[in-house]
């Protein structure tokens, strides 16, 4: 078994580790089909061999060529380390700085088999959300981090460690960019080719920025989404007896079962991959599983009637489940579902993110590698059936929303009936959950704020939970608006439930949705608790890129921006740059994430709290910008919630000045101008 000290020595070349290939008994990424020419294959091999000295290239070239032929990418399985991959307590990492050790901890958590979707292919979630492109990069990064001082910055180009460069103590220790491809070449086909060549990669969101905390993050987001969907669509605060149907139990989507139960409803979640289904059941996130639709419908009826919170995993294709619900409606007149969505990895529909209903899971995987063109055709036919069933149920009163996974976008491209009459190109028959459910929350400055206790001690996490609840309760007592108070109450409820539902998978982490005031206050309070010894080790702050100002995504995060700027990426880039010089320990900027390659630009950060006064000042400055950037952008686009939020922020901070929009009151002057 390899030790952490050995991991930090750099690539193991003398002797070379044994090539054990793909390990059995764990999930693996689908085979990729980049369709490289002979010259491009040579280029991919040349690029991979650059990591190794000439004397061992002959030994490696044939196995790398075999990986490229069999899997469509060179993962360098020989160098997959023989170590228990997990978030070790920060003190065990042999580093010169706490910042570097914290980054190591976060990297290893992203690759922990209990966290990662395809750990041997370095995929954390979403089917293709990479931490690195190959295992050589992992070894080099860990080596650089072990050597790093407070006067150096590690630079990452799409998984490749360019190297350590001189900087200064207040600079970020790590700068990450993923997939920064020139826009005209940012197509899916180009991506498959460039990833196979080893020159770019899809970092998703928190996969490629080393900030994933397991499915807990999306559990919380899903709880808030379902609660607010109930309020908006069903006019209900109590969701007991309400039925939520969706699909996906893999990486992030695996959170839906737990979220349904916390929200108090009946959740039926379809999943084609039995391994993913069993993993969630074993973790206790899924209460029951069945591959029998008759049984599923019977349990649904029973739980609905008795108002029992239930999470039931259906081992099968979600299209079959939706069509069975249509059949029940047609034969009994009973609408058995109240809320519906989808969380397959539909941003990646033709490479294993969505499986067609016409084939079994194994048949589909085989077709994907042997005839990708036919696979694509079947996926699009399946999407049309999928939407047709949803439309029939929605016409009778079921409320469906797009969960930002590009489901409606891909359904539209497949020819499904998802058009909305008179809509702009970011709108469909069903709303994005940002448009109708979470958008106003973002405009208030609320988003997924999270932290990791690097001691690995659950007691430290319990202490931070207590601190966070206390901070939010104090804020309510001091006086906040009605809408802000509602969000604070939801998140206090969440923290209480989180402790009871064993949500930790991997690192000792927590997430809540908070506004600027809450984030800064929680960070300051945690930092002071570290200083006073109430928390044993540093705490890493981060967030989902899916946040107030982290992401420009016209089909998700910025789908409620109606001034024509939804396709502009200034906000995410400014977020990345602004966080970097306001105190972040590391920053990341990605192409792709959530809705797919070429569809979004997103940025993230990590910030280490070590109990010092400097850490407190960094947190105040950086977290304020991290939120206010996005609120100001939404204010300028005409959002009333954001306007109110930013005006209040300017009253509280004399240094803040935002350009406020004037409303065009007389629409007639526009009509006259256009006619003229």
């Amino acid at each position: 078994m390899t030790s952490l000290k050995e991991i930090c020595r750099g690539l193991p070349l003398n002797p070379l580790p044994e090539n054990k290939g793909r390990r059995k008994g764990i999930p693996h990424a689908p085979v990729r089909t980049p369709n490289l020419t002979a010259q491009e294959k040579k280029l991919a091999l040349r690029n991979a061999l650059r990591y190794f000295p000439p004397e061992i290239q002959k030994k490696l070239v044939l196995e790398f060529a075999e990986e490229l032929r069999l899997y469509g990418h060179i993962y360098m399985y020989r160098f997959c380390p023989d170590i228990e991959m997990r978030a070790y307590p920060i003190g065990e990492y042999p580093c010169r700085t706490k910042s570097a050790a914290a980054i190591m901890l976060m990297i290893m958590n992203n690759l922990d088999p209990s966290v990662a979707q395809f750990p041997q292919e370095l995929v954390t979630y979403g089917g293709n959300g990479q931490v690195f492109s190959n295992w050589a990069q992992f070894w080099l990064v860990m080596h650089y981090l072990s050597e790093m001082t407070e006067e150096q910055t590690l630079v990452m180009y799409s998984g490749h460690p360019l190297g350590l460069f001189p900087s200064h103590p207040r600079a970020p220790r790590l700068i990450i960019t993923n997939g920064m491809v020139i826009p005209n070449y940012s197509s899916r086909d180009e991506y498959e080719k460039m990833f196979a060549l080893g020159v770019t990669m899809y970092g998703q969101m928190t996969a490629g920025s080393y900030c994933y905390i397991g499915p807990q993050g999306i559990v919380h987001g899903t709880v808030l989404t379902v609660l607010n969907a109930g309020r908006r669509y069903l006019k209900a605060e109590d969701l007991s007896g309400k039925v939520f149907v969706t699909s996906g139990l893999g990486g992030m989507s695996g959170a839906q079962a737990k979220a349904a139960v916390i929200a108090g409803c009946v959740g039926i979640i379809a999943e084609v991959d039995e391994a993913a289904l069993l993993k969630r059941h074993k973790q206790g996130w899924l209460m029951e599983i069945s591959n029998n639709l008759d049984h599923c419908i019977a349990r649904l009826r029973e739980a609905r009637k008795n108002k029992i919170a239930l999470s039931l995993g259906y081992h099968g294709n979600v299209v079959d489940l939706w069509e069975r619900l249509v059949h029940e409606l047609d034969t009994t007149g009973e609408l058995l579902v109240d809320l519906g969505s989808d969380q397959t990895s539909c941003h990646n529909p033709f490479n294993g993110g969505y499986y067609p209903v016409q084939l079994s899971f194994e048949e589909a995987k085989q077709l994907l590698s042997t005839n990708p063109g036919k696979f694509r055709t079947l996926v699009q036919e399946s999407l049309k059936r999928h939407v047709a069933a949803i439309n029939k149920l929605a016409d009778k009163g079921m409320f469906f929303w797009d969960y930002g996974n590009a489901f409606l976008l891909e359904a539209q491209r497949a020819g499904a009936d998802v058009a909305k009459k008179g809509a702009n190109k970011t709108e469909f028959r069903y709303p994005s959950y940002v448009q109708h459910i979470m958008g106003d929350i973002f405009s208030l400055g609320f988003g997924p704020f999270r932290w990791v206790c690097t001691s690995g001690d659950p007691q430290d996490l319990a202490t931070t939970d207590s601190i966070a609840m206390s901070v939010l309760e104090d804020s309510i007592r001091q006086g906040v608006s009605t809408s802000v108070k509602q969000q604070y109450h939801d998140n206090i409820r969440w923290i209480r439930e989180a402790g009871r539902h064993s949500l930790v998978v991997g690192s000792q982490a927590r997430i809540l949705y908070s506004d600027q005031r809450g984030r800064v206050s929680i960070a300051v309070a945690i930092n002071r608790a570290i200083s006073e010894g109430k928390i044993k080790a540093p705490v890493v702050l981060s967030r989902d890129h899916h946040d107030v100002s982290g992401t420009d995504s016209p089909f998700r995060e910025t789908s409620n921006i109606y001034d024509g700027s939804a396709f502009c990426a200034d906000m995410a880039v400014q977020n990345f740059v602004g966080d970097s010089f306001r105190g972040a320990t590391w920053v990341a900027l990605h192409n792709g994430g959530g809705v797919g390659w070429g569809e979004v630009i997103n940025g993230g950060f990590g910030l280490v709290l070590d109990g010092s006064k400097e850490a407190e000042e960094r947190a105040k400055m950086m977290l304020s910008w991290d939120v206010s950037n996005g609120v100001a952008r939404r204010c300028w686009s005409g959002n009333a919630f954001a306007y109110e939020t930013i005006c209040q922020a300017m009253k509280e901070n004399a240094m803040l000045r935002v350009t406020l929009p004037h409303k065009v009151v007389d629409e007639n002057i526009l009509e006259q101008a256009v006619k003229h």
Side-chain angles (χ1 to χ4, degrees), residues 535-664:
I535 297 172
K536 303 175 190 66
V539 170
V540 175
L541 302 182
S542 70
R543 57 161 169 74
D544 197 337
H545 295 207
H546 167 66
D547 196 11
V548 180
S549 85
T551 299
D552 282 299
S553 178
F555 296 102
R556 195 163 80 176
E557 284 80 2
T558 47
S559 59
N560 63 337
I561 299 290
Y562 300 117
D563 67 349
S565 69
F567 290 87
C568 300
D570 301 80
M571 181 178 72
V573 175
Q574 290 283 1
N575 177 265
F576 163 80
V577 174
D579 283 358
S580 71
F581 64 75
R582 285 181 173 87
T585 307
W586 72 94
V587 288
L589 185 68
H590 302 175
N591 169 13
V595 298
W597 181 262
E599 306 284 1
V600 50
I601 299 293
N602 61 87
F605 76 85
L607 192 155
V608 177
L609 298 177
D610 60 7
S612 66
K613 185 65 178 174
E614 182 188 4
E616 179 175 320
E617 292 306 313
R618 285 173 177 251
K620 288 178 180 177
M621 186 179 298
M622 199 224 78
L623 293 174
S624 296
W625 163 252
D626 195 61
V627 176
S628 62
N629 171 41
V631 177
R633 191 267 178 96
R634 286 172 167 77
C635 167
W636 183 245
S637 74
N639 185 282
F641 283 103
Y643 187 95
E644 180 183 337
T645 302
I646 208 69
C647 286
Q648 181 62 36
M650 285 196 288
K651 287 180 184 178
E652 296 172 359
N653 185 349
M655 300 294 288
L656 177 64
R657 286 291 178 271
V658 173
T659 307
L660 300 176
H662 293 288
K663 187 176 181 180
V664 178

Side-chain angles (χ1 to χ4, degrees), residues 22-243:
R22 280 195 168 196
R23 293 174 186 163
K24 294 181 179 179
I26 62 170
H28 287 287
V31 173
R32 313 187 79 93
T33 52
N35 297 318
L36 301 183
T37 65
Q39 283 301 114
E40 287 167 338
K41 290 175 183 176
K42 286 182 184 178
L43 184 55
L45 290 167
R46 185 180 294 113
N47 289 344
L49 292 172
R50 288 184 296 183
Y51 289 102
F52 304 95
E55 59 269 22
I56 63 171
Q57 289 179 3
K58 283 187 178 180
K59 185 173 181 64
L60 297 176
V61 68
L62 291 180
E63 68 189 56
F64 287 175
E66 183 75 349
E67 286 184 18
L68 187 61
R69 184 181 68 81
L70 291 176
Y71 311 121
H73 187 74
I74 301 169
Y75 295 105
M76 304 184 186
Y77 289 119
R78 177 189 288 272
F79 296 96
C80 183
D82 182 23
I83 190 172
E84 183 185 351
M85 192 70 73
R86 63 181 176 86
Y88 291 84
I90 193 170
E92 295 184 23
Y93 292 95
C95 296
R96 296 182 181 184
T97 75
K98 289 179 182 177
S99 297
I103 296 167
M104 280 187 173
L105 180 153
M106 300 292 279
I107 288 172
M108 293 189 74
N109 185 68
N110 267 28
L111 293 170
D112 181 338
S114 70
V115 173
Q117 186 179 15
F118 305 126
Q120 222 184 346
E121 288 76 46
L122 304 113
V123 172
T124 300
Y125 64 86
N128 59 350
Q130 304 286 148
V131 184
F132 302 109
S133 182
N134 59 57
W135 284 105
Q137 293 171 349
F138 168 84
W139 286 89
L140 288 171
V141 166
M142 299 300 272
H143 176 61
Y144 280 135
L145 289 171
S146 71
E147 290 190 328
M148 176 190 286
T149 72
E150 293 287 353
E151 295 185 338
Q152 291 173 303
T153 293
L154 176 59
V155 175
M156 299 292 299
Y157 279 16
S158 291
H160 169 68
L162 195 66
L164 286 172
F165 292 83
S167 60
H168 57 85
R170 292 187 67 83
R173 299 278 68 82
L174 173 65
I175 304 284
I176 304 166
T177 52
N178 283 311
M180 289 292 106
V181 173
I182 294 168
N184 278 356
Y185 301 90
S186 193
S187 68
R188 274 203 187 114
D189 289 342
E190 292 284 357
Y191 166 71
E192 288 299 328
K193 190 161 288 189
M194 285 187 281
F195 180 62
L197 293 176
V199 295
T200 197
M201 76 174 201
Y202 188 79
Q204 254 282 356
M205 289 187 154
T206 52
S209 65
Y210 321 147
C211 290
Y212 190 55
I213 60 166
Q216 178 188 167
I218 195 66
V219 170
H220 180 239
T222 306
V223 167
L224 291 186
T225 301
V226 173
L227 287 175
N228 284 291
R231 289 170 184 147
R232 181 181 181 103
Y233 297 136
L234 308 178
K235 310 303 179 190
E237 286 288 338
D238 180 5
L239 294 183
S240 57
K242 305 300 182 183
V243 177

